[in-house]
Amino acid sequence: MELRKIPTLFALASLAVALAAPVEAAIIDHGDYLTDTATGLDWLDVTQSVNLSFDAVNAQLGAGGQFAGWRYATGDEFNALITNATGTPTAGNYGYINQEPDRTDALVALLWSTLDTYWTDAYGLTYDASAGRAEGEAVDYTYGMLADLTSFGSPWIAMIYDGDYAINEVVNDYSYAHRAFTGTSLANTLTGSFLVRQPTSVPEPSAVALLTIGLLGLGVARRRARAQA
């Protein structure tokens, strides 16, 4: 059996488990965006908006714009996505939320890693590759702006962090809805925007149920394929 086929087989096996499980909500992958059926919101691949400032993205949200039909997600919507994807309660908590190992992996894989966007732009390879690890087995995170504004009028940054590489025997996964940006500009390849839209129709979860267990295999397989492209 070819090794490159293993992630796909794992994804299919996981998908079979997901389809057999009784669920009330699901995270559905559509390639460049996902749907959270619990809220009915689509979430755009965050790396599609890297290198664009908050104002630049806002200017492209209207008819005819690059992001027509989308809008900035709020911190509450971001927290709801985290809860629905990981099972960890987040309502009202905009700070650091620790996650059990591997709970954030699928979501980062589906929204794509802005760390990889930055690392590839700067060094020509993903962070995992630079660390000598298989894709999805070191560090990945999705870093993007929200609709919520700080007291200074700048957007809060949200983060979904997937740390699989043990540093000092610590493996760390977490989320953070309101994180202050410490750099000099929000227009960079590390920072995108969390954009959402309300689709015209929401698929029935029972018909296309993709739980996190299924998304984990599929998402990591997609991330590896994209990194090798």
Side-chain angles (χ1 to χ4, degrees):
M1 178 183 297
E2 294 179 332
L3 290 178
R4 67 174 182 270
K5 294 182 179 178
I6 292 177
T8 301
L9 293 177
F10 176 78
L12 292 175
S14 300
L15 175 57
V17 172
L19 290 173
V23 295
E24 296 180 354
I27 305 296
I28 302 173
D29 177 29
H30 301 285
D32 60 354
Y33 71 96
L34 62 82
T35 301
D36 177 359
T37 62
T39 61
L41 289 176
D42 290 338
W43 291 76
L44 185 64
D45 167 2
V46 177
T47 63
Q48 291 198 24
S49 54
V50 296
N51 236 1
L52 294 172
S53 69
F54 184 74
D55 289 342
V57 171
N58 268 319
Q60 294 296 319
L61 297 178
Q66 180 181 351
F67 306 112
W70 298 88
R71 63 172 173 81
Y72 268 100
T74 67
D76 288 335
E77 289 169 335
F78 174 83
N79 275 342
L81 175 66
I82 298 297
T83 295
N84 296 333
T86 68
T88 303
T90 60
N93 185 351
Y94 304 101
Y96 177 95
I97 298 175
N98 189 51
Q99 298 282 349
E100 294 180 11
D102 299 329
R103 285 297 181 92
T104 63
D105 296 41
L107 199 53
V108 171
L110 293 178
L111 290 174
W112 298 109
S113 171
T114 57
L115 176 63
D116 279 350
T117 305
Y118 168 77
W119 214 259
T120 301
D121 180 68
Y123 305 107
L125 73 172
T126 67
Y127 180 86
D128 289 5
S130 70
R133 299 270 171 163
E135 199 59 38
E137 295 183 1
V139 174
D140 285 286
Y141 56 74
T142 305
Y143 197 60
M145 293 175 277
L146 293 173
D148 303 8
L149 301 179
T150 70
S151 59
F152 299 102
S154 59
W156 282 110
I157 303 294
M159 170 181 271
I160 314 169
Y161 188 93
D162 165 26
D164 294 311
Y165 179 37
I167 301 176
N168 297 326
E169 300 184 356
V170 175
V171 177
N172 196 28
D173 287 1
Y174 64 87
S175 62
Y176 216 124
H178 284 181
R179 183 183 180 97
F181 184 78
T182 57
T184 57
S185 173
L186 290 174
N188 56 62
T189 54
L190 180 64
T191 311
S193 294
F194 283 100
L195 301 179
V196 296
R197 69 182 177 189
Q198 192 81 39
T200 55
S201 62
V202 179
E204 288 294 328
S206 58
V208 286
L210 293 181
L211 299 180
T212 300
I213 186 174
L215 291 175
L216 176 58
L218 183 59
V220 171
R222 286 179 53 211
R223 186 163 63 195
R224 287 177 178 170
R226 182 171 178 174
Q228 294 168 1

